[in-house]
Amino acid sequence: GDLNFDSLANDMNRNINTSSTTSSDKYTADIDVNAKNSIIVGKGCEMIANAVKSVIANGQFPLILGGDHSIGTGSLAGILQARPNTGVIWVDAHADINTPETSDSGNMHGMPISFLIEGMVDSKGIPGFEWLSKPEMSAARLNPDSIVYVGLRDVDSLERKFIREKNIKAFTMYDIDKYGIGSVMDQALTHLLEKDPSRPIHVSYDIDAVDPAHAPATGTTVRGGLTYREAHFVGEAVAMSGCLASVEMVELNPTLSDGAGSNDTIELGLGLITSLMGKSII
């Protein structure tokens, strides 16, 4: 079901009204660490992490619908707490591995992965994300060898450095053009499942991985993305592995396109989820 983020905002407003800190200071405190809106994003991610962990504990399948990709920190934190051996396929035009120190914009939807890789971000120093440093969250850490990127095509220079230094498996659109989506997905799944064929797989699917000709209703479109069929093949391949354990679909925002573009993007997002859930052509 829906998480009540309105209550979170109301709680923050109550705290502001009863505090000697001014409203302006309270909302801009996170600017010092170059992480925009970190307080409410961090608290929201904590809510998501707890909800995801609870869903898994109840034997249910976590399907998380965003929202921008900043929620990925919360989703993955909950998943890794419950299933520390999870492998991750991150389908995205962007690498989302900036830190507050390296980000040009301070936008947190470009940072979700860095908060979960040991040594990249000191969460104690990021307002709203202190919960990630608690001892009980020690399992919520992502080994760089446990994530594979698919569909990258807009990567910042320091993100490239991080990916190379940490030896993260990454398939860009160049690789998809060169080898084909079938080979790329075979390699991605082999990388994650070779040592443990029954390992749970989490797919975090940013709709902007798909070319904006097919998915215009999203915030950071980049030309040259996945085709309609390539986008579906990603989901079909993971479904056929039999290891899919959780899914996140993000950055689908129908207000960011006209009626036809919004409808096309919504239908594609729903279709991609059904492909991930195992729907096949025959």
Side-chain angles (χ1 to χ4, degrees), residues 1 12 15 17-19 34 42 55 58 86-87 89 97 119 157 160 173 197 199 202 214 217 222 231 266 279 281:
M12 290 180 65
N15 290 337
N17 292 333
T18 58
S19 170
N34 192 35
V55 164
N58 290 333
T86 295
I89 296 181
I97 198 170
S157 58
R160 294 190 198 106
M173 287 307 302
R199 181 186 202 182
H202 170 66
H214 306 294
V222 186
I266 292 168
K279 182 181 178 182
I281 295 173

Side-chain angles (χ1 to χ4, degrees), residues 25-70:
D25 289 342
K26 196 76 172 181
Y27 278 118
T28 60
D30 51 357
I31 291 176
D32 293 340
V33 293
N34 192 35
K36 292 179 180 176
N37 303 310
S38 73
I39 298 172
I40 195 163
V41 172
K43 295 297 185 183
C45 282
E46 184 178 16
M47 288 176 65
I48 294 168
N50 290 334
V52 168
K53 184 181 176 183
S54 175
V55 164
I56 294 172
N58 290 333
Q60 298 171 304
F61 183 96
L63 173 60
I64 306 108
L65 305 177
D68 72 32
H69 223 159
S70 63

Side-chain angles (χ1 to χ4, degrees), residues 232 235-236 239 249 267-280:
H232 276 278
E236 292 163 353
M249 178 68 68
E267 288 181 11
L268 177 60
L270 292 172
L272 294 175
I273 291 171
T274 62
S275 289
L276 283 158
M277 294 299 105
K279 182 181 178 182
S280 60

